[in-house]
Amino acid sequence: MAKHASPKGASSVLANLDTMLPELEALYKDIHAHPELSMQETRTAGIAADRLRKAGYEVTAGVGKTGVVGLLRNGEGPTVMLRADMDALPIAEDTGLDYASTVTVKGADGNAVPVGHMCGHDMHVAWLVGATTLLSQVRDAWKGTLMAVFQPGEETAEGARAMIDDGLLDRFPRPDVTLGQHVMVGPAGFVAGSAGPITSAADSLQIRLFGRGAHGSMPQASIDPVVMAASVVLRLQTVVSREIAATDAAVLTVGVLQAGTKENVIPDEAVIKLNVRTFDAGVRKHVLAAIERIVNAEAEASGAPRKPEVTSLDSYPLNVNDEAASLRVAEAFRGYFSPERVKHTGPAPASEDFGCFGTAWQVPSVFWFVGGTDPKIYAKAKATGRLNELPVNHSPKFAPVLYPTVETGVAALVVGALAWLDAT
């Protein structure tokens, strides 16, 4: 392939993209207004399956509970997997959009939980529907097999593993490459990625600290789990600052500290929930071991009646982009979008279970980012040093601008796929 050359079939496959945009916008708004929590994406999965069938794909639904796999066989050639995640978050949307979610569902505790697409997976579904439809319409421009995977449960690290455990590797052809993308804060119309680690490993833990309850006026009769928890939280801050080298990277965040129900009652226990992000297996092992050491030591120092309970809530693998495959995708992007719209980015501290597919199949995987911020707003925020004030993924106010985000994401999937599929 010549330097900065677009895949041969890209122009013909994407010729109908502009006329398809109103349909994709309507689809996006519909999914945005009807979000579904992880592993409950029945409506979204049904829409994805219906769109694939109409485009001529062999469709298998219910893979890993709510996952959908579509196959389009188009002669001899490579097999390319394109993936989109479908689940939303238990967050009340605060975007002010006229298609904003007002959905609430009953949570595990029986209380109402708001649900919103505050991470952009609704955009991912629209992108993959668009890309698969366009590729099906112009089959004389490429050869091979296209595999579309609409994945459930990314937000809980369940979905990819559930599909794999449900026989994904045995029931469907082994791809030559797995490709995925995510909308992020960044100027719309731009794509960004890099070879090597692209999203971090993540581990979420729950820690239960046990004490002995007493009246608030008689602390001498207690073993106070509140003080114990406070000491643990403060000491955990030293793991990254004092045990991890400056040349390495790690994030340790305590997001939940719960204890007691009344101001004059010392409770029996306290609960801490925390999250760890790392980019190196050795660093990850050290951080997790340090957490156990600190928690146990603080409990012993307090005279706790029981050892703390440390429970894993979820775990995401380190997502590593294959070097040769990443270069191939980047070259195709530069040829289609122009070099100025293709950026190099370092690894993001966000986490993904997309890499599970490539690891399970033992094939190269490439994951990249698509900007979703109004370019003028992004440029102004950057110029004034206020980028951190832009609503990010998982914010109640996160709302990608529709254009050119929709067309950029669809084009990126098509161009990425055609970098492998035999173009004619």
Side-chain angles (χ1 to χ4, degrees), residues 322-339:
D322 179 82
E323 183 172 0
S326 296
L327 293 174
R328 189 168 177 172
V329 168
E331 196 63 39
F333 283 172
R334 293 187 191 102
Y336 180 81
F337 292 115
S338 82

Side-chain angles (χ1 to χ4, degrees), residues 257-279:
L257 176 53
Q258 297 172 333
T261 58
K262 200 172 190 300
E263 73 283 353
N264 66 341
V265 178
I266 297 172
D268 282 323
E269 65 178 67
V271 173
I272 294 171
K273 295 181 183 180
L274 58 84
N275 181 258
V276 176
R277 309 284 173 138
T278 54
F279 295 95

